[in-house]
Amino acid sequence: DSKSAVVMAASNSASTQKQPAKPQPKPGGTIKAHRGSLITCDAALKQFLLRLNETSSTKFIMRDLDENHLFVNSSRYPAGFDSLQSWLSSEVEAWNKKYTFVEDS
């Protein structure tokens, strides 16, 4: 266990070196809460949604969380649709019709 003591001593001495101070939360600070929906999808659909968000006048993505999740504002969608889900489904269907090859039989 002398090796672990050496490692601990080395890590303790490294932590005493000057490091940038981490910002501390201010007392009485505000917390922002947002209402929205979590979309879980594969990488291809996520890229489609990110591109749709960039090109559309309706910006619906609030946070890009990780490779499979987006947090979206569920109340932002173009007029003429009942919900964000119906708009996104319509956009995906239009993309599939445009870019999916179906051989005539």
Side-chain angles (χ1 to χ4, degrees):
D1 285 285
S2 62
K3 289 182 184 179
S4 62
V6 172
V7 172
M8 290 179 62
S11 66
N12 286 341
S13 66
S15 65
T16 59
Q17 295 174 356
K18 289 186 179 181
Q19 296 178 357
K22 293 181 182 177
Q24 298 295 320
K26 295 178 183 177
T30 59
I31 296 174
K32 293 182 181 180
H34 299 281
R35 175 172 282 171
S37 297
L38 178 67
I39 295 179
T40 302
C41 54
D42 64 356
L45 181 57
K46 181 180 173 197
Q47 289 305 311
F48 174 78
L49 294 174
L50 290 171
R51 180 72 174 151
L52 181 61
N53 190 62
E54 287 176 10
T55 59
S56 174
S57 60
T58 305
K59 305 299 182 203
F60 60 96
I61 296 178
M62 297 169 68
R63 294 278 186 264
D64 182 352
L65 300 175
D66 61 25
E67 67 262 358
N68 294 326
H69 297 94
L70 294 169
F71 186 66
V72 299
N73 186 334
S74 54
S75 62
R76 285 190 169 180
Y77 49 89
F81 292 95
D82 297 332
S83 66
L84 178 69
Q85 182 177 356
S86 65
W87 175 52
L88 294 179
S89 294
S90 170
E91 290 291 332
V92 169
E93 185 177 323
W95 187 89
N96 280 333
K97 283 181 182 178
K98 185 175 181 180
Y99 294 107
T100 301
F101 176 74
V102 178
E103 187 174 343
D104 293 333
S105 45

